[in-house]
Amino acid sequence: MGTTESESGGLADDRPLLGRTSTAERVADILRTRIAEGYFPPGERLSEDSIGKALGVSRNTLREAFRLLTHERLLVHQLNRGVFVRMLAVQDVEDIYRTRRLVECAVVQGLGEPPYVLEKLEAAVADGERSARALDWKGVSTANIHFHRELVALAGSARTDELMRSVLAELRLAFHVVDDPRLLHHPYLVRNRAILEALRAGERSGAERLLAAYLDDSRTQLVETYAHLVADEDADGA
C-alpha cells in the first residue's frame, strides 16, 4: 500500500528541520529517523508526491535523499514500482550482528585505562529502565539502541559512530517486523546495566565478555523469531 498524503501529513511538522536550505542530506536525516521509528515500516512504498509536498522539497531533492538511503540499505528501488522501505532477509540480520560483534567488542577492548566517561551510557540505561517501568516497549527499544551507540562512541571515532548509526538503523528494520517488542528487548535491560557497572569498575575484559555473550544471545533470539515471521509472510503471499 502506498503512502497517502494524509498518512504522510505528519512529516509537515518536520519541515522546520530543513532550515533555509532544503538539502537532500537533511531530507534523508528526517526520513531515516522516521524509518527507524517505524513510521514507514518495512515493505511500505514511499510516495514522492505526498512526502515531497509534506516536506516542501523538490522531486529531485527527494530522489537524491532516496538514493542516499538506498545506499545505506534502508530503501530499495523496484523497477516500475517505486521506492520501498527495505525488508531484511534473515542473512542480513545475521550479517548485521557479525558486524556489531566485531565493532562493539573491539571498541570495549581498545578503551585503554579507566576511568571511562560513562554519563551518556548511564543515561541510556536509565532511560531503558524508566521506559520498562512505564511499559513503553518502543521506548525500551530506542533506549537500547542509544546504549549501543553510546558504547561505541566511547572510542571517540566519528567514522565508527557513522558506521554504527547505519548498522543500527538497518537493524531496526528487523525490530519493526517483530510483534512482541517486550520479548525482544526487556531481557537485555539488566545486561545493559551489568556492562555499564563492569566498565564503571574498570573491568574492561569483563565488560567485553558480557557484551560478546549479550550479542550472541540477541542474535540467536532475533534470527529465530525473524525467520519464523518472514517464513509466515512468504507463505501468506504464496
Side-chain angles (χ1 to χ4, degrees), residues 49-130:
D49 290 340
S50 59
I51 293 175
K53 185 177 296 184
L55 292 177
V57 297
S58 70
R59 187 179 296 268
N60 286 340
T61 295
L62 187 58
R63 287 178 176 175
E64 176 61 14
F66 284 172
R67 188 191 69 78
L68 292 171
L69 295 178
T70 299
H71 180 70
E72 295 178 19
R73 296 180 295 275
L74 295 179
L75 301 180
V76 61
H77 180 267
Q78 297 183 13
L79 189 62
N80 298 325
R81 294 194 63 208
V83 175
F84 294 77
V85 179
R86 188 162 169 246
M87 176 72 74
L88 298 184
V90 174
Q91 293 83 355
D92 294 320
V93 178
E94 292 174 335
D95 190 44
I96 287 169
Y97 270 91
R98 280 193 293 268
T99 303
R100 290 186 65 191
R101 204 179 193 282
L102 286 169
V103 174
E104 294 186 47
C105 289
V107 165
V108 174
Q109 184 180 36
L111 282 179
E113 295 302 315
Y116 309 119
V117 181
L118 301 174
E119 286 80 6
K120 291 184 178 179
L121 203 63
E122 165 67 39
V125 171
D127 284 346
E129 293 169 343
R130 186 163 45 249

Side-chain angles (χ1 to χ4, degrees), residues 114-220:
Y116 309 119
V117 181
L118 301 174
E119 286 80 6
K120 291 184 178 179
L121 203 63
E122 165 67 39
V125 171
D127 284 346
E129 293 169 343
R130 186 163 45 249
S131 294
R133 289 193 295 271
L135 304 182
D136 175 11
W137 305 116
K138 181 178 179 181
V140 171
S141 174
T142 298
N144 193 46
I145 291 292
H146 288 168
F147 173 82
H148 290 279
R149 287 183 62 175
E150 294 301 339
L151 184 68
V152 169
L154 293 174
S157 167
R159 290 174 179 83
T160 308
D161 290 345
E162 184 177 354
L163 171 63
M164 282 306 294
R165 183 192 71 172
S166 175
V167 167
L168 292 173
E170 193 176 356
L171 179 63
R172 295 190 83 167
L173 294 178
F175 287 167
H176 292 317
V177 174
V178 178
D179 56 5
D180 189 350
R182 182 187 186 281
L183 176 66
L184 199 61
H185 302 296
H186 186 262
Y188 296 94
L189 287 172
V190 65
R191 300 176 78 165
N192 289 346
R193 173 64 68 180
I195 292 168
L196 171 65
E197 295 304 331
L199 290 174
R200 181 175 284 131
E203 299 173 0
R204 183 184 60 193
S205 296
E208 184 186 355
R209 287 193 296 272
L210 290 170
L211 177 61
Y214 173 123
L215 292 173
D216 288 345
D217 291 345
S218 179
R219 180 198 63 214
T220 298

